[in-house]
Amino acid sequence: MRLTKRQLKRIIREEYSRLKKRGLIKEMGMPMGDFSQEVDDYCEQIMEELSDGDLVSYAELASALEYLMPDFDEAMLGSAIDQCMQKGMIQAHAGSDGLGIFSISQDYMI
């Protein structure tokens, strides 16, 4: 069975998230409260979804994160999108449905 790079990344993210939720992986960093950490987790997932440089609609982003994050919260996704945009990590454009279409900022492309 052949896997695309995107499929492999998704599998790794899913397993990493499961291990992290079970407490088997601890990350170093300054604790800033549960809300801030949760928004940062969403930002990290958003950046992963946009890492291929593709344009991703809000609906696609919400669907992908809902699949990856067992405790998905759409309000938290909105907060994370705002934070990512304020930090210049992502760019947003209006889609034909009136919702955002997102892409990674050129400064953050690898």
Side-chain angles (χ1 to χ4, degrees):
M1 180 172 101
R2 294 184 53 85
L3 294 175
T4 65
K5 186 176 179 182
R6 180 175 228 152
Q7 290 169 324
L8 180 59
K9 283 182 179 181
R10 178 164 288 185
I11 290 168
I12 291 169
R13 282 194 309 266
E14 289 171 7
E15 290 302 316
Y16 179 82
S17 293
R18 283 188 195 111
L19 292 172
K20 191 173 171 186
K21 293 253 185 246
R22 290 176 54 197
L24 298 174
I25 293 178
K26 301 268 189 224
E27 292 183 356
M28 299 296 290
M30 299 292 290
M32 296 174 56
D34 291 342
F35 179 78
S36 180
Q37 180 59 48
E38 198 168 351
V39 170
D40 288 344
D41 290 345
Y42 274 76
C43 282
E44 184 179 321
Q45 292 298 327
I46 290 168
M47 294 303 287
E48 283 293 324
E49 287 301 314
L50 299 176
S51 66
D52 290 336
D54 297 334
L55 294 175
V56 179
S57 72
Y58 178 85
E60 292 169 328
L61 194 56
S63 177
L65 269 61
E66 188 172 15
Y67 177 75
L68 292 171
M69 304 176 91
D71 298 329
F72 177 76
D73 179 2
E74 198 159 345
M76 193 63 67
L77 174 59
S79 296
I81 288 171
D82 288 343
Q83 179 174 309
C84 289
M85 288 178 59
Q86 287 173 0
K87 290 182 176 181
M89 298 164 73
I90 64 173
Q91 299 172 337
H93 313 281
S96 59
D97 58 2
L99 297 175
I101 295 178
F102 304 98
S103 62
I104 195 164
S105 295
Q106 292 295 325
D107 295 341
Y108 281 84
M109 291 200 106
I110 297 174

